[in-house]
Amino acid sequence: MSTDTEKSDATPSATAPELPKSTVKAITKFVAEHGGTASAVIQPVGVVGVRITLVGADGILGDQVVKDLATANAVVASFDNVTVAEWERELTSIVTPAEGHFKKMAGWVAHQTRFPKARNGA
């Protein structure tokens, strides 16, 4: 009786997701323009996919959206100068939104001059 019990048919490893070239290019450019390093917060956003929110070394925000969590993790792992982070005090304290960022994120609301009266006002 042999003591060699190792199986010859090892389970196949999952194939790595294909990295979106436009996302890799955008992150490379972002990191180069904002201090050479960045933190990445990976956030699922529903059916749309997964958002990779970047915070540059200078505090500027950027983001990219990919199709799934595996792709997001693979994209971030492909960079030596981008680390996975969470929205914690250390990270949020350095965030400095670029000029006009709030208007850009507000979309159509940013251009409104009239707003309805608050329903819960005193």
Side-chain angles (χ1 to χ4, degrees):
M1 181 181 242
S2 174
T3 58
D4 185 15
T5 60
E6 191 173 313
K7 294 183 179 180
S8 62
D9 56 316
T11 58
S13 62
T15 58
E18 185 176 332
L19 304 180
K21 291 177 182 165
S22 60
T23 300
V24 172
K25 184 178 177 181
I27 292 175
T28 301
K29 181 179 176 185
F30 178 87
V31 171
E33 292 176 352
H34 298 287
T37 61
S39 297
V41 180
I42 298 173
Q43 308 162 103
V45 289
V47 178
V48 174
V50 177
R51 171 174 280 142
I52 303 169
T53 304
L54 301 165
V55 179
D58 59 357
I60 299 296
L61 292 170
D63 73 334
Q64 290 290 306
V65 177
V66 295
K67 66 180 181 177
D68 57 25
L69 196 55
T71 303
N73 285 318
V75 166
V76 172
S78 71
F79 290 93
D80 292 333
N81 50 358
V82 177
T83 57
V84 176
E86 294 292 328
W87 289 120
E88 295 178 1
R89 176 173 279 188
E90 293 81 26
L91 183 60
T92 58
S93 67
I94 67 165
V95 172
T96 310
E99 186 70 32
H101 185 82
F102 296 111
K103 273 194 167 184
K104 179 180 175 186
M105 296 306 289
W108 67 271
V109 175
H111 304 291
Q112 297 300 304
T113 56
R114 287 185 34 208
F115 293 95
K117 185 176 181 182
R119 294 181 186 177
N120 61 351

